[in-house]
Amino acid sequence: MAQGHRVDTEAPGIALPAWRRLVDGLREAVAIVDEDDVIAVLNPAATTLHPALRPGTPLTTPARRQALGDGWTACYLDTPAGWDRAFLDEALNRLASATDRADTLKAVVELALAHLADQCAVIVPAPRGRVEWWYGAKGTTEVVRARTTRQSAGLVTGLLDVLDGAVPHAVFGRESTPDLPVDFGEPGHAHAVPLVKGGTSLGALVVVRRVPGGPFTAAEIDAIRRYGDHAARALEAAIRHGEQSRVVDVLRADLLPKPLPDVPGTLLATAYHPAARRAEVGGDFYDVHLREDGSATFVLGDVCGNGLEAAVHSGRVRRSLHTLLLVEQRPAHLLYLLNAALVAAGSKLFTTLVVGTLVQADDGGLHLTLASGGHPPPMLLHAGGTVEEVVARGGIVGVLTDVRFQETTVTVKPGETLLLYSDGITEARAESNREELFGEERLQAVLAECTGQRADATIDTVRRAVFDWLGPSEHDDITLLAVQAVPSG
């Protein structure tokens, strides 16, 4: 150790450990040296920017100096060429905001071209023993994607070792660069580092400096390595996000309503607007099940609550109904069986719903049999413009063992429409007065205006009236199902 080196001794007024605490939080690289210019303290920024410096060794790096007293001096170190701390801050911010894998890979290349190199490539594993290249060069506006075999990547000596995370870095001389299996521009000096996160190699980062720029300095190589750490974290997060998104998409697809079937003699139309718009699913649901004889069972329901928990439960209810329809088609009996199944499964959320069967009549109308489990009664729009509530008594489904359901029958003449709806319609709150609800009477008045309209136009009229009432305000799940006997003529 050099003469005069004094670690953690005290200077008048402030002890050396206190100076350490003061400089540790500085973004600028700072070293504290003694009267012999031997380093006593290095803050984290100095350790990052100047990895060759060590406490107990003489300071040889250019610095701006400030005397601290008693022989101690604070040295504000120059930033090495090629090592831009602001760049890593920018990289961290930009990469942290990227959640898509392709966007992340493009950003890694673009940031490297802007601050580190003349050319850059990120090489990542691809299916069937191939590797995927994302690469670009200064002066171009596009990051190009290509695929090659691992054997082609192996033409560059040491690259596969970096790609597999077997070595911490590799330097490619002028003679190796032209062997890159893509059009990687003019030959030059290349440096590669693995992209490793959690002990798993995700790929490799290759940066190239064109001749006559000269080889990368030690500080620049350190910057590349640290940038690679940022890139690996961002890529791992993007991959994980992508996997989670794919799982969510698969689950969501099972929860979304299925397309409406073509039912003989019947026009069907729906509107479906979950409260959790980003999730695209909610507690409301509808289904229409067509049988081989041309008859059908239809259902519209509402699980207590909204969001993903309600959506998952609505999926459970829909699957249960679909299974029960194999052995029972009578609406009230279906509700008894559904209630028993949900209670036995330990359901903690109640459901309201209307179940109906339809059979085409000889005159072109529809014979409907309905049962309700605590749901708002459907509304029947007659040809003359009057609106009638179709009431079927019944309790909520899924939480009580002792519950009763009744059936009611109704005939829908050609051109008439039965409207099923969730309480998100009638309980929609006015934009101008959040205490005022849309209500049944307003719904009946809007429905009366739809006289003579086809089913899809009726749904659109009611939907627009409700959203005009709501304005931009939040709302509960909103669902509509129109069952219309095909108009004569």
Side-chain angles (χ1 to χ4, degrees):
M1 184 177 293
Q3 291 294 320
H5 176 54
R6 297 172 293 179
V7 178
D8 289 350
T9 59
E10 295 191 1
I14 300 183
L16 198 57
W19 281 117
R20 176 179 287 110
R21 289 193 295 271
L22 285 172
V23 300
D24 275 356
L26 298 179
R27 291 171 60 89
E28 190 170 3
V30 181
I32 296 179
V33 299
D34 65 13
E35 57 195 11
D36 296 319
D37 229 22
V38 173
I39 300 171
V41 171
L42 286 169
N43 73 345
T47 302
T48 299
L49 288 171
H50 300 272
L53 297 182
R54 295 287 187 275
T57 63
L59 178 66
T60 57
T61 301
R64 175 172 54 85
R65 294 169 175 262
Q66 180 177 346
L68 301 177
D70 195 32
W72 298 106
T73 302
C75 301
Y76 298 86
L77 309 179
D78 292 346
T79 300
W83 218 114
D84 184 352
R85 188 173 183 84
F87 152 57
L88 286 187
D89 288 343
E90 176 192 350
L92 186 61
N93 292 333
R94 181 174 174 187
L95 295 177
S97 64
T99 56
D100 178 79
R101 176 180 176 273
D103 289 344
T104 300
L105 290 166
K106 289 179 182 177
V108 171
V109 174
E110 290 168 350
L111 284 164
L113 293 175
H115 298 276
L116 285 177
D118 297 311
Q119 299 149 330
C120 176
V122 179
I123 306 102
V124 292
R128 296 187 294 277
R130 300 173 71 83
V131 292
E132 191 173 87
W133 293 71
W134 294 75
Y135 63 99
K138 282 187 176 178
T140 61
T141 59
E142 184 179 3
V143 174
V144 180
R145 176 189 176 193
R147 285 191 177 184
T148 64
T149 63
R150 275 181 61 91
Q151 292 91 328
S152 295
L155 294 174
V156 183
T157 304
L159 182 55
L160 290 183
D161 289 335
V162 177
L163 185 62
D164 295 335
V167 296
H169 65 88
V171 178
F172 310 135
R174 176 188 178 97
E175 68 284 358
S176 298
T177 308
D179 291 331
L180 290 172
V182 292
D183 181 14
F184 210 39
E186 300 175 9
H189 302 275
H191 193 86
V193 294
L195 302 178
V196 178
K197 183 69 174 68
T200 301
S201 178
L202 306 175
L205 170 70
V206 181
V207 294
V208 179
R209 171 177 289 161
R210 291 175 180 166
V211 174
F216 292 102
T217 65
E220 290 171 333
I221 290 173
D222 187 67
I224 294 168
R225 180 181 62 80
R226 292 182 181 275
Y227 178 57
D229 291 341
H230 285 328
R233 284 194 293 270
L235 182 57
E236 192 269 343
I239 291 172
R240 186 173 64 249
H241 183 270
E243 292 171 346
Q244 292 172 345
S245 296
R246 284 189 290 274
V247 171
V248 170
D249 287 342
V250 170
L251 296 176
R252 182 188 290 123
D254 188 51
L255 298 176
L256 288 171
K258 300 296 187 288
L260 294 172
D262 293 326
V263 180
T266 308
L267 296 178
L268 301 170
T270 64
Y272 180 71
H273 299 279
R277 300 178 190 180
R278 292 184 62 184
E280 300 179 5
V281 292
D284 285 5
F285 63 94
Y286 66 85
D287 277 307
V288 179
H289 300 276
L290 179 64
R291 290 188 284 273
E292 291 183 358
D293 61 2
S295 63
T297 297
F298 57 91
V299 57
L300 186 145
D302 180 3
V303 172
C304 173
N306 51 50
L308 291 178
E309 182 182 11
V312 170
H313 190 70
S314 73
R316 185 179 300 118
V317 173
R318 292 172 63 199
R319 287 189 294 273
S320 298
L321 273 172
H322 184 75
T323 301
L324 293 172
L325 279 169
L326 297 175
V327 296
E328 181 62 72
Q329 286 80 44
R330 293 169 295 177
H333 287 72
L334 268 175
L335 291 181
Y336 279 117
L337 292 174
L338 176 64
N339 184 72
L342 293 176
V343 170
S347 170
K348 293 181 173 55
L349 295 176
F350 69 81
T351 303
T352 70
L353 69 163
V354 173
V355 177
T357 60
L358 67 85
V359 178
Q360 190 173 11
D362 293 337
D363 63 357
L366 301 172
H367 290 313
L368 305 184
T369 301
L370 304 173
S372 175
H375 200 79
M379 294 183 180
L380 177 59
L381 173 60
H382 292 286
T386 59
V387 177
E388 172 192 359
E389 284 191 346
V390 181
V391 178
R393 308 292 181 186
I396 60 176
V397 174
V399 292
L400 302 174
T401 56
D402 185 16
V403 62
R404 297 287 182 268
F405 307 102
Q406 297 178 353
E407 289 184 354
T408 188
T409 59
V410 63
T411 298
V412 179
K413 297 178 181 179
E416 295 185 340
T417 303
L418 183 77
L419 181 71
L420 288 76
Y421 58 94
S422 64
D423 61 11
I425 297 286
T426 52
E427 294 180 5
R429 298 182 180 274
E431 178 185 11
S432 58
N433 179 4
R434 300 296 290 163
E435 298 300 318
E436 188 176 4
L437 304 182
F438 193 77
E440 287 82 0
E441 291 185 4
R442 190 169 280 102
L443 176 58
Q444 289 185 13
V446 173
L447 186 57
E449 296 173 2
C450 300
T451 304
Q453 292 183 358
R454 292 173 64 87
D456 54 356
T458 297
I459 290 293
D460 188 57
T461 298
V462 175
R463 182 188 63 79
R464 284 190 288 107
V466 172
F467 279 98
D468 287 346
W469 174 262
L470 280 166
S473 304
E474 294 182 355
H475 59 80
D476 197 358
D477 296 331
I478 288 176
T479 304
L480 296 161
L481 171 63
V483 179
Q484 185 179 65
V486 172
S488 58

